[in-house]
Amino acid sequence: DEGVELDTFELAAPGFDSEQALKVTFRSPTEHYGGFGMSLDPVWDWSAVDGISFFWQADQPDLIMGVYVGVADPENPDAPVTPFLVYLTPPAGDWEQVMLSWGAFTKAEWIGDEGVDVFDPANISEVSFVFGNWEKAQQATLWLDDIRLALAESS
């Protein structure tokens, strides 16, 4: 979005249980959204795993972040991907592990009736972390570490 800036996007010390983590410092004006991630072309089949996990922390409380997974339509490969999201608040100053099962992702309300209706981990085309707030500007630093596909823990 216009006015959104990534001031820092680098590997920096220390990580959660490693020498470094991804450090992202961003600024986003009111009513604007931004993010960072990757596109997958061709689509990837992640149906053999249960979700995605990572460790994270932020430099301030009450920061709302989204984990965005774009799902392609296998019936119409040229159609835009459908966004599925989970919104979370990273802890301020302390590492926290997050495990998101595929069932936690819901279709973005703003997409309406467009796109696929059901999250299908066999048709993943994008994965991103998104930020922004419709009511206020945001400026923050976020650290991410050990991002991986995950199997559910057995009980």
Side-chain angles (χ1 to χ4, degrees), residues 33 37 55 73 89 103 112 135:
Y33 292 84
F55 288 87
D73 183 347
T89 301
E135 298 173 2

Side-chain angles (χ1 to χ4, degrees), residues 40-77:
L40 308 170
D41 186 23
V43 300
W44 288 19
D45 181 352
W46 288 348
S47 59
V49 297
D50 299 311
I52 187 170
S53 72
F54 52 89
F55 288 87
W56 71 346
Q57 67 174 317
D59 68 342
Q60 59 184 281
D62 303 323
L63 177 67
I64 297 173
M65 297 288 300
V67 181
Y68 169 110
V69 176
V71 177
D73 183 347
E75 305 290 321
N76 187 1

Side-chain angles (χ1 to χ4, degrees), residues 2 24 27 31 39 43 46 52 61 70 77-78 89 95 99 106 116 126 141 143:
E2 187 175 320
V24 182
R27 288 182 280 163
E31 298 183 6
S39 295
V43 300
W46 288 348
I52 187 170
D78 294 327
T89 301
W95 287 102
M99 168 52 188
T106 58
V116 298
E126 293 180 32
T141 299
W143 289 266

